[in-house]
Amino acid sequence: DEYNDEIERFEILNTQRDDLFIAEENLRETIKKIDKVARKRFNETFDLIKTNFENLFNLFFEGGHATLKLVGDPDPLEADIAIQAQPPGKRNTSIRLLSSGEKALTAISLLFSIYQVKPSPYCILDEVDAPLDDANIERFAKMIKEFSNDTQFIIITHNKKTMSKAEMMYGVTMPEIGVSRLVGVRMEDVA
């Protein structure tokens, strides 16, 4: 009787083990398929962002060259992304050698490159124009104007030149100590 009970138990455990092996194999197949799709989508998206970045960098800097590269691991999902940027008239290709304004404009170019692949109805930019000089503020404002056909931009800034390009401006005032008030001005009404 004990032998028969143990044989029955052994057969149940054997069936469960076989089920686990089948489930493991199914999971491995599913993971392979998901990895294949993820790599394909990543490469497609990366190529789009890279092309957008190269074009937008050229527009922002009115020349020069920039690109994105996958470095390190041959697997694109594990590789690092290197940014190479060379504004017109400069020899460097490392982003570390750029001025703070050039770095900011390069970052904005990259941000908008990603945005072009996956646009949204609104975008909040917090003092991205702080390190930019007047000429670069003009370029930045021009790009915002182009993208504003499809997206509403909320830009937090202290830069008067950026403010002058806005359609609507909101500010926070403190008429009394401890009491804040929101003030909105439509720029076309002021002009």
Side-chain angles (χ1 to χ4, degrees), residues 3-178:
Y3 174 78
N4 287 336
D5 288 344
E6 290 302 317
I7 287 290
E8 187 178 323
R9 185 170 174 263
F10 174 75
E11 287 173 359
I12 290 170
L13 290 174
N14 244 355
T15 304
Q16 288 177 349
R17 184 196 66 169
D18 292 344
D19 288 346
L20 287 173
F21 283 141
I22 291 168
E24 179 188 22
E25 187 59 37
N26 288 340
L27 282 172
R28 289 187 188 278
E29 263 320 297
T30 302
I31 289 170
K32 281 182 189 175
K33 287 177 186 174
I34 289 171
D35 278 352
K36 184 178 177 182
V37 169
R39 280 182 185 82
K40 181 177 182 258
R41 286 187 181 170
F42 177 86
N43 284 329
E44 289 170 355
T45 304
F46 181 79
D47 289 342
L48 284 171
I49 291 170
K50 179 182 174 184
T51 301
N52 293 344
F53 178 59
E54 290 169 355
N55 294 334
L56 283 175
F57 183 89
N58 197 312
L59 282 173
F60 270 114
F61 283 91
E62 296 174 353
H65 176 73
T67 192
L68 300 174
K69 291 184 178 183
L70 296 174
V71 294
D73 200 310
D75 179 3
L77 297 178
E78 300 295 327
D80 294 331
I81 298 173
I83 301 169
Q84 292 182 334
Q86 184 177 0
K90 295 228 175 173
R91 290 180 166 221
N92 62 304
T93 56
S94 171
I95 195 165
R96 292 188 176 122
L97 300 175
L98 300 177
S99 70
S100 61
E102 290 168 333
K103 285 179 186 176
L105 215 49
T106 301
I108 292 167
S109 299
L110 181 57
L111 178 72
F112 278 88
S113 302
I114 296 167
Y115 170 81
Q116 283 180 314
V117 173
K118 189 75 173 169
S120 68
Y122 65 91
C123 181
I124 300 172
L125 301 172
D126 188 5
E127 296 194 37
V128 297
D129 60 345
L132 301 179
D133 60 16
D134 287 348
N136 287 330
I137 291 284
E138 288 293 330
R139 292 182 189 128
F140 170 69
K142 181 180 169 189
M143 292 308 289
I144 293 289
K145 193 76 166 165
E146 277 186 41
F147 282 97
S148 68
N149 294 331
D150 301 319
T151 299
Q152 183 174 11
F153 287 92
I154 299 168
I155 302 173
I156 299 158
T157 186
H158 294 286
N159 190 302
K160 290 179 176 122
K161 200 153 186 98
T162 303
M163 288 182 214
S164 71
K165 304 291 183 185
E167 292 175 8
M168 184 80 182
M169 193 162 46
Y170 293 96
V172 179
T173 64
M174 193 178 294
E176 300 173 37
I177 295 175

